[in-house]
Amino acid sequence: MTEKKLIAIDLDGTTLHSDGVTISDYTKAIFKKVEQKGHQIVIATGRPYRMAIDIYQELGLESPMINFNGGMTSIPNQKWAHTVSKHIDKALIFDLIKHQHTFKLDFLAAEYRRKFFINALDKADPGIFGVESFLPHHQLKIEKLNANPNAVLLQTRITDKISLADKMDEHFKNQVNVSAWGGPNGILEVVPKGVSKASALKHLLKINKQERSDLIAFGDEHNDIEMIKFAGTGYAMKNASATLLPHADQQLKWTNDEDGVARQLQEMLL
């Protein structure tokens, strides 16, 4: 396997250890060696830009970064001709507020590249948004929604959040994509229709003049399904959700806490 590869890495549950912060020195060293071989490593995450940029910098990447599950593709700190930033009509937020009881939502939040607004500060964990505590300017108010958001984050009390995601897709007449986060919390994310990690990676392959067979992807959760299916080779982590496994070419022998992504790349490319 000597062709130049585009390597898409999810963050939470995949590249990062389970604390959602730690990247081992081993992983950093392997990534650097892989890049020196001419391969490109691209973060593909549901996290907003503001919650992924520190990780991008810690890894020393210079490649594009995919945020909001494909809603934004950019090269940090560069004016890049191929930047993509897709948005949701803010009218959807007002509709969600109207149906908050129907969907049993604790909160909903409008997400932008550098900021967010949430409608129920007392019902949310600030850590989900990458802050230690909420401040008054985080409160969602109609007058603050002067631009369409990149995504909307929700927390539901309904146990089967994947079924709820399907119901919400129907409610919005398939005008948006609704996907569930991994883990025990009832977090759902709403992004523009047709947006996924796979759609963003298709954009990058076209720019690079590469084929799908050149794409290697690593993931662990429901929001990685399209990416894993689209990739020439899609790997599910040892700790991956059962919903992802049927779509992966292979399940790794290692978890995220065992640096599974780096171990697999070392075996394949170094």
Side-chain angles (χ1 to χ4, degrees):
M1 189 181 288
T2 57
E3 306 91 349
K4 302 309 181 193
K5 297 296 181 181
L6 178 64
I7 302 161
I9 56 167
D10 174 50
L11 291 182
D12 295 283
T14 302
T15 304
L16 299 176
H17 287 182
S18 294
D19 61 5
V21 176
T22 303
I23 309 166
S24 72
D25 290 339
Y26 166 74
T27 289
K28 294 176 196 175
I30 294 298
F31 281 11
K32 189 59 63 180
K33 289 178 182 178
V34 166
E35 288 186 315
Q36 288 169 352
K37 293 279 187 181
H39 307 293
Q40 187 178 55
I41 296 175
V42 172
I43 289 173
T45 180
R47 290 188 180 208
Y49 179 95
R50 68 176 188 278
M51 289 179 63
I53 184 61
D54 288 350
I55 298 163
Y56 177 93
Q57 291 170 338
E58 185 176 353
L59 288 171
L61 298 176
E62 296 180 356
S63 54
M65 179 167 65
I66 297 168
N67 299 102
F68 298 115
N69 284 318
M72 177 179 289
T73 305
S74 63
I75 298 181
N77 306 315
Q78 282 191 35
K79 190 170 183 179
W80 186 43
H82 303 291
T83 294
V84 173
S85 183
K86 296 184 178 291
H87 301 87
I88 290 175
D89 189 331
K90 58 189 178 184
L92 178 138
I93 296 173
F94 306 134
D95 191 311
L96 278 170
I97 291 172
K98 191 188 304 181
H99 291 89
Q100 192 162 348
H101 179 73
T102 304
F103 298 132
K104 296 186 179 179
L105 302 181
D106 291 325
F107 68 79
L108 60 93
E111 291 265 21
Y112 298 84
R113 183 173 183 267
R114 290 281 194 183
K115 61 186 179 181
F116 68 90
F117 303 119
I118 179 172
N119 73 330
L121 302 182
D122 59 327
K123 298 289 181 64
D125 174 5
I128 292 172
F129 297 89
V131 296
E132 291 186 5
S133 60
F134 294 122
L135 299 173
H137 69 263
H138 292 134
Q139 181 70 52
L140 175 63
K141 295 182 179 178
I142 291 175
E143 61 269 21
K144 291 181 179 178
L145 297 178
N146 54 8
N148 291 329
N150 293 99
V152 178
L153 206 62
L154 320 165
Q155 181 169 291
T156 180
R157 297 184 298 281
I158 294 175
T159 306
D160 190 348
K161 57 189 175 182
I162 293 177
S163 293
L164 177 61
D166 292 337
K167 289 178 183 176
M168 292 180 72
D169 275 332
E170 290 177 18
H171 173 80
F172 291 113
K173 298 180 171 57
N174 294 310
Q175 295 175 351
V176 293
N177 283 353
V178 185
S179 63
W181 279 20
N185 54 33
I187 302 294
L188 297 168
E189 186 164 34
V190 185
V191 296
K193 184 64 181 174
V195 165
S196 69
K197 294 181 181 183
S199 68
L201 289 164
K202 184 177 181 180
H203 174 60
L204 293 184
L205 287 174
K206 184 176 180 181
I207 293 166
N208 291 352
K209 296 182 170 56
Q210 291 175 294
E211 303 296 327
R212 285 175 62 178
S213 57
D214 298 315
L215 175 62
I216 300 169
F218 295 88
D220 72 307
E221 266 299 345
H222 179 261
N223 64 333
D224 296 314
I225 289 175
E226 291 89 348
M227 173 176 76
I228 293 296
K229 287 168 62 177
F230 178 72
T233 309
Y235 291 102
M237 306 301 293
K238 183 179 179 181
N239 53 286
S241 163
T243 60
L244 180 65
L245 294 181
H247 307 285
D249 294 297
Q250 184 178 325
Q251 185 175 20
L252 296 187
K253 297 176 287 186
W254 310 282
T255 67
N256 58 318
D257 289 319
E258 296 168 324
D259 302 319
V261 174
R263 289 179 184 274
Q264 185 63 29
L265 290 177
Q266 183 175 28
E267 281 195 1
M268 286 193 305
L269 302 175
L270 301 178

